[in-house]
Amino acid sequence: MPRVSQDQLDARRQEILAAARACFAKFGYEGATVRRLEEATGLSRGAIFHHFRDKDSLFLAVAEDDAVEMAATVAQHGLVQVMRDLLARAADPDAAGWLGTQLEVARRLRTDPDFAKRWAEHDEAIAKATRQRLERHAAAGTLREDVPLEVLTHFLELAYDGMVKRLAMGGSAGDFGPVLDLIEETVRRPRK
């Protein structure tokens, strides 16, 4: 029996995550049955659950993957860039699964206390990355000084949550670019 390398296992895991992301986005958590996950991945349930303990673990891995990517983007480019990336993905039908995952996370946070406890760590990582980025801008003198840092952090988080909601309601991704420009200008130090 041929041995499978770690690189092959990692590649298979990423393929499963990508297909599951699209399946969860299309059908929601409950609607993404094991049969649908098999169809989406092209794999048997045994092959899927060789990599993930169960459907809940698979969904959490998809959401965690997105949270890690989001925190990295926030740390390097800011939360507004995450919003710009979300808009680009929302306009691309092949990448729309990311929005669906965000919506499903929001729903599960409201309805599943165990999930909410597990998710708190990821939410805090994103908030921390946002605060640290704002602190760097404050130190560089490019952040407005008349509003406390925590208020600006919450402002950006609420803008993100509101944009996700509007996109979920069918809002056009093309309508939000000028809004994001305004959000960026709002947190910057006013020009003299």
Side-chain angles (χ1 to χ4, degrees):
M1 183 172 188
R3 296 193 77 140
V4 178
S5 73
Q6 188 60 46
D7 287 344
Q8 290 169 314
L9 288 172
D10 292 344
R12 174 58 56 94
R13 186 178 191 281
Q14 289 305 313
E15 290 169 7
I16 293 169
L17 287 172
R21 179 177 290 107
C23 190
F24 287 127
K26 184 175 183 179
F27 300 108
Y29 179 80
E30 282 79 17
T33 62
V34 173
R35 176 162 308 287
R36 284 181 170 155
L37 288 166
E38 287 175 322
E39 291 170 3
T41 61
L43 300 171
S44 69
R45 72 183 59 217
I48 295 168
F49 296 123
H50 170 75
H51 294 273
F52 302 94
R53 185 177 65 240
D54 53 24
K55 185 173 99 168
D56 195 51
S57 297
L58 176 56
F59 177 76
L60 189 59
V62 167
E64 286 173 341
D65 236 26
D66 291 349
V68 167
E69 180 183 340
M70 185 176 172
T73 300
V74 169
Q76 189 169 16
H77 303 289
L79 191 55
V80 173
Q81 185 60 50
V82 170
M83 292 184 243
R84 291 188 192 284
D85 292 349
L86 178 60
L87 291 179
R89 289 175 174 174
D92 177 1
D94 294 330
W98 196 78
L99 174 61
T101 302
Q102 298 302 302
L103 295 171
E104 196 61 28
V105 164
R107 186 194 66 76
R108 291 201 58 203
L109 286 172
R110 188 176 54 81
T111 61
D112 184 342
D114 291 333
F115 179 83
K117 284 180 196 170
R118 289 189 312 244
W119 191 253
E121 171 186 328
H122 301 290
D123 195 47
E124 179 51 33
I126 294 165
K128 181 179 178 183
T130 301
R131 283 190 305 273
Q132 289 174 338
R133 176 131 175 111
L134 290 173
E135 287 167 356
R136 287 193 304 273
H137 278 280
T142 58
L143 191 70
R144 65 184 302 160
E145 297 171 322
D146 60 328
V147 178
L149 191 76
E150 281 303 309
V151 173
L152 292 176
T153 301
H154 292 308
F155 169 71
L156 291 170
E157 291 168 342
L158 288 170
Y160 173 81
D161 291 343
M163 192 181 74
V164 168
K165 177 184 170 232
R166 290 291 180 179
L167 289 171
M169 294 171 51
S172 170
D175 296 340
F176 292 104
V179 174
L180 295 181
D181 293 341
L182 178 62
I183 290 169
E184 281 187 322
E185 283 299 314
T186 301
V187 298
R188 286 190 183 134
R189 176 183 228 160
R191 294 185 182 124
K192 294 180 181 181

